[in-house]
Amino acid sequence: EFFQNSNPLIIELGCGKGEYTVNLALRNPGKNFIGMDIKGARLWKGCKMVQEMALTNVAFIRSRIEYIEYFFGKDEVDEIWLTFPDPQPQSNRKRKRLTSPLFLNRYKNFLKPGGIIHLKTDNEQLYRFTLNIIEEEKHRLLFASEDVYKLDHLHEATTIQTFYEAGYLRQDIPIKYIEFSLTHEG
């Protein structure tokens, strides 16, 4: 209803300042993008960029990601981007990881069957955790790289960098990337 079209919908969870969401929208004018974050001051920067560029295919939601199911209907979302989410490194916080079974089951309520989830992270623990969850839950791994910038070919995930990502690259920290889709049975 917000975009008043039936273009594919892509969301970025934990979007921070919205730079990734805005750049995805610039590169893909035939798709709609929504960035979601809890911090209003961060989102303000993304909203300001959208207004200055007069983009009509971008919106932002300020909310806790735990409430994501209340914002989207069944099969409404085509893709989810998780760009450098908090890795929640403590073992007692595994459930809070955005690739935990708890969150993946929430995504099933609105992600289209075959919809893609993208994870970009500098965190080895989150990368390994996510690969294990994909295998254990029998989701479909489409692509994984321990250093997406060291591939022989340019991958779509390298065409946009967040502020922090650029900093990690300057420090020669490898950027890990996973692309997968959920199994909707059960």
Side-chain angles (χ1 to χ4, degrees), residues 88 90-98 100-101 129:
Q88 305 288 344
Q90 304 88 344
S91 62
N92 65 339
R93 296 183 60 88
K94 285 180 184 177
R95 289 178 40 124
K96 294 198 173 270
R97 294 177 185 159
L98 295 184
S100 72
F129 171 83

Side-chain angles (χ1 to χ4, degrees), residues 104-127:
L104 296 181
N105 284 326
R106 287 178 177 158
Y107 306 156
K108 285 181 185 180
N109 292 317
F110 58 82
L111 186 65
K112 290 180 180 177
I116 297 172
I117 299 175
H118 307 264
L119 170 69
K120 279 177 83 170
T121 183
D122 63 308
N123 187 277
E124 180 74 23
Q125 182 185 24
L126 179 60
Y127 177 76

